[in-house]
Amino acid sequence: MVEYACEHCAHAWTRPVEDDLDVYDVVRLDRPDATLYGTVWQVEADRVQVRATTGDRLLWVERWRVIVY
């Protein structure tokens, strides 16, 4: 589970970490600087490689940041 907390309103919530990711799944990435969308290219135990829809770059991100879209 991933826990979120709003600094402004003190609201907190959780969501499960995706455990059934597959290559070519369309996902949303919650990053500190932006929210990105892309396609899964590789899946490892604790990280996922995603091709962002905004360009040709491949990003490795922690698995808990990925949400199947």
Side-chain angles (χ1 to χ4, degrees):
M1 296 293 270
V2 177
E3 183 174 322
Y4 295 93
C6 176
E7 294 177 9
H8 302 287
C9 67
H11 180 74
W13 66 96
T14 61
R15 71 164 178 81
V17 174
E18 302 287 356
D19 62 355
D20 61 347
L21 287 171
D22 290 317
V23 174
Y24 304 123
D25 279 348
V26 176
V27 295
R28 184 180 91 202
L29 308 175
D30 288 334
R31 296 174 48 135
D33 57 338
T35 298
L36 301 173
Y37 296 87
T39 305
V40 173
W41 282 74
Q42 291 186 50
V43 178
E44 293 184 356
D46 60 344
R47 65 186 189 152
V48 178
Q49 187 179 45
V50 176
R51 178 175 292 251
T53 58
T54 58
D56 291 332
R57 61 185 172 153
L58 292 171
L59 306 168
W60 280 105
V61 295
E62 296 92 351
R63 191 179 193 118
W64 66 268
R65 292 188 184 275
V66 176
I67 299 171
V68 175
Y69 188 68

